[in-house]
Amino acid sequence: MSRGPDALTLLARALTAGAEAAGCAVRITASDSVRWASATFTGMRHRITLCCSAGDALDAWLATLPEAEFDLRGHLVADLVVERIRRDGDAMTVELEALTLEKR
């Protein structure tokens, strides 16, 4: 029996939907996750690469990401960082790092 999408899939969907709602389109071109645990929490560390067109809407959306709230079934986003932004004309590549924790 399937438990549904994993944290990376849920986060990717939320990022794409959030960008669209902010008026900018993003495409996820790479993603990776590794298990993470502390003495009290379990979760995953994620690296996500987005491709998008440069613009004011994208810049505004990226500025809000570290404080954004995400509704991920069974998980919460404990940390999200815009790690790197590369511009090549109108095209941008954005690398994100995030930590999701399992809700119990």
Side-chain angles (χ1 to χ4, degrees):
M1 182 163 85
S2 175
R3 292 179 43 191
D6 64 4
L8 177 59
T9 301
L10 294 169
L11 180 57
R13 289 176 184 169
L15 289 168
T16 302
E20 185 177 324
C24 45
V26 300
R27 183 172 44 93
I28 296 174
T29 57
S31 60
D32 187 34
S33 295
V34 294
R35 299 277 313 148
W36 177 90
S38 70
T40 54
F41 299 104
T42 59
M44 299 193 82
R45 286 208 167 274
H46 311 282
R47 293 188 61 84
I48 299 171
T49 303
L50 308 172
C51 283
C52 36
S53 295
D56 293 339
L58 180 69
D59 292 338
W61 178 70
L62 289 173
T64 66
L65 275 183
E67 301 302 319
E69 295 288 326
F70 296 91
D71 184 21
L72 308 181
R73 185 179 61 237
H75 306 273
L76 64 91
V77 177
D79 189 36
L80 190 144
V81 176
V82 178
E83 190 66 28
R84 178 182 292 163
I85 299 174
R86 290 188 302 262
R87 296 178 190 261
D88 184 12
D90 286 341
M92 288 178 58
T93 302
V94 179
E95 295 179 12
L96 306 174
E97 290 189 4
L99 172 65
T100 56
L101 302 177
E102 296 174 2
K103 291 182 184 177
R104 294 184 186 221

